[in-house]
Amino acid sequence: ILITRDHNQLQLKNTGIDSESEQDYMKLYNLGGGAAKNIKIEIYIGSEDVLQEKYVNILPSKEGYLLPINKDVFTEIENTIQNNGYQSDLNVKITYKHNVSRKTQELHLNGKIDSFNTYDEKSVYELQFFDKKQYN
């Protein structure tokens, strides 16, 4: 996910989506190998300050889900960029039932923002989410 700042306005750009229009969502792909259902997505700061919750019934393997991003999430991204932070306090928790094994799966991700490129009036950053277990 690329984030651009053009004249102090942030905009998301999902690199897998060919669109010139403004994007205020992230696209989730192939969750649970295409066998995920009863999906709950929480975006939060730290460990308890939930900014946004979404529920998705099923996410088939050949389709993606457009996760809308609200103003609070954009504010956290902006704060991280202004503080020159590369690891944000933005976290995502995804809980889903696997359609085949019937087990509940839980995934914890942490957002990292890297400076990608800077132009005269425009800055570009990359937003990536990593498994929190890898970086703790």
Side-chain angles (χ1 to χ4, degrees):
I1 300 169
L2 296 179
I3 303 168
T4 58
R5 176 192 275 143
D6 195 1
H7 296 90
N8 291 326
Q9 182 179 3
L10 287 184
Q11 182 178 352
L12 294 180
K13 172 88 171 133
N14 291 270
T15 56
I17 300 173
D18 188 25
S19 174
E20 294 299 318
S21 65
E22 219 175 283
Q23 296 176 4
D24 55 357
Y25 55 84
M26 292 185 279
K27 188 164 186 177
L28 302 177
Y29 295 98
N30 196 17
L31 188 60
K37 66 178 187 176
N38 300 329
I39 304 162
K40 179 181 178 183
I41 305 161
E42 295 172 277
I43 300 176
Y44 58 95
I45 296 175
S47 61
E48 296 187 23
D49 188 11
V50 176
L51 302 175
Q52 183 173 342
E53 284 183 315
K54 294 300 280 183
Y55 298 91
V56 182
N57 187 38
I58 192 163
L59 188 61
S61 62
K62 294 183 180 179
E63 296 180 22
Y65 173 70
L66 301 180
L67 175 65
I69 301 301
N70 67 21
K71 183 171 177 20
D72 293 335
V73 175
F74 269 105
T75 299
E76 173 60 20
I77 292 170
E78 177 68 34
N79 290 342
T80 300
I81 290 171
Q82 285 180 359
N83 294 324
N84 293 322
Y86 293 108
Q87 182 169 345
S88 102
D89 206 14
L90 188 64
N91 297 287
V92 176
K93 177 180 167 186
I94 302 173
T95 309
Y96 63 92
K97 268 200 157 164
H98 196 277
N99 208 15
V100 177
S101 71
R102 307 264 194 262
K103 292 183 180 177
T104 299
Q105 305 290 322
E106 198 169 274
L107 181 63
H108 295 266
L109 305 171
N110 178 249
K112 295 194 182 303
I113 300 173
D114 290 322
S115 180
F116 189 74
N117 228 334
T118 302
Y119 304 99
D120 289 338
E121 296 181 15
K122 186 176 184 178
S123 296
V124 181
Y125 304 89
E126 181 181 23
L127 172 61
Q128 300 177 71
F129 288 95
F130 293 96
D131 190 337
K132 286 184 82 166
K133 294 176 194 168
Q134 291 177 319
Y135 292 96
N136 285 338

